[in-house]
Amino acid sequence: MSGTQAIQTVTDPAALPEARTTGTGTGTATSTGTGTGTATGTGTATATRRPAVKPDTGARTEAAAGVITDARARIDDLDGRIIGLVQERMAVSAVIQRERIGSGGRRVNLSREMEVLEHYRGQLGRPGTALAMTLLELCRGRI
């Protein structure tokens, strides 16, 4: 093993994740082991100020970050309940399809689907129609 170590110059402050302050300095490092070597260098590191709040909330204050975090937890709970309800709707729809087909009927009842689409549009506006279409596709498959 050679006794000389390569010195790497870093000019991009972002490449120094441990940098927390701005400054310059010189230093000497000596290493012993299988081989020996000495490295000397100078450098400048510039820290990027980071917000004190969690960056994933987008908030600029601790109070706002707390409200957002709590509200997101509630949304996660609601999403879990919505998914559970969609799965329950899929199971009920499967029973209806099985009975309809078993009695000689068609798999899909288009007039009933139009009622569902109108109900969602009436309650949620135009995006409600898209949501209802997604639910219908989940429950009966693509037609």
Side-chain angles (χ1 to χ4, degrees):
M1 175 178 221
S2 170
T4 305
Q5 295 178 341
I7 298 174
Q8 179 181 1
T9 303
V10 178
T11 57
D12 180 12
L16 301 170
E18 70 280 354
R20 297 283 184 250
T21 59
T22 301
T24 61
T26 61
T28 303
T30 304
S31 173
T32 59
T34 306
T36 59
T38 302
T40 304
T42 62
T44 302
T46 304
T48 303
R49 291 188 182 255
R50 297 182 191 223
V53 297
K54 292 176 122 182
D56 61 338
T57 65
R60 297 188 183 252
T61 66
E62 288 292 335
V67 169
I68 291 168
T69 300
D70 292 345
R72 284 182 176 173
R74 179 132 191 257
I75 285 174
D76 290 344
D77 179 59
L78 290 167
D79 285 344
R81 290 168 41 202
I82 290 167
I83 290 168
L85 289 170
V86 169
Q87 290 170 333
E88 183 178 347
R89 188 186 196 288
M90 291 169 68
V92 171
S93 181
V95 168
I96 292 169
Q97 286 181 41
R98 184 177 59 243
E99 291 302 314
R100 188 182 302 122
I101 292 168
S103 69
R106 303 182 83 175
R107 180 174 71 94
V108 177
N109 182 334
L110 294 178
S111 64
R112 172 63 181 151
E113 288 196 359
M114 293 306 293
E115 290 175 18
V116 171
L117 291 169
E118 179 58 31
H119 179 71
Y120 274 79
R121 189 196 62 73
Q123 294 296 310
L124 302 173
R126 190 172 183 171
T129 304
L131 177 59
M133 287 296 294
T134 299
L135 284 170
L136 291 169
E137 185 177 331
L138 283 168
C139 293
R140 52 111 164 100
R142 288 184 171 229
I143 54 173

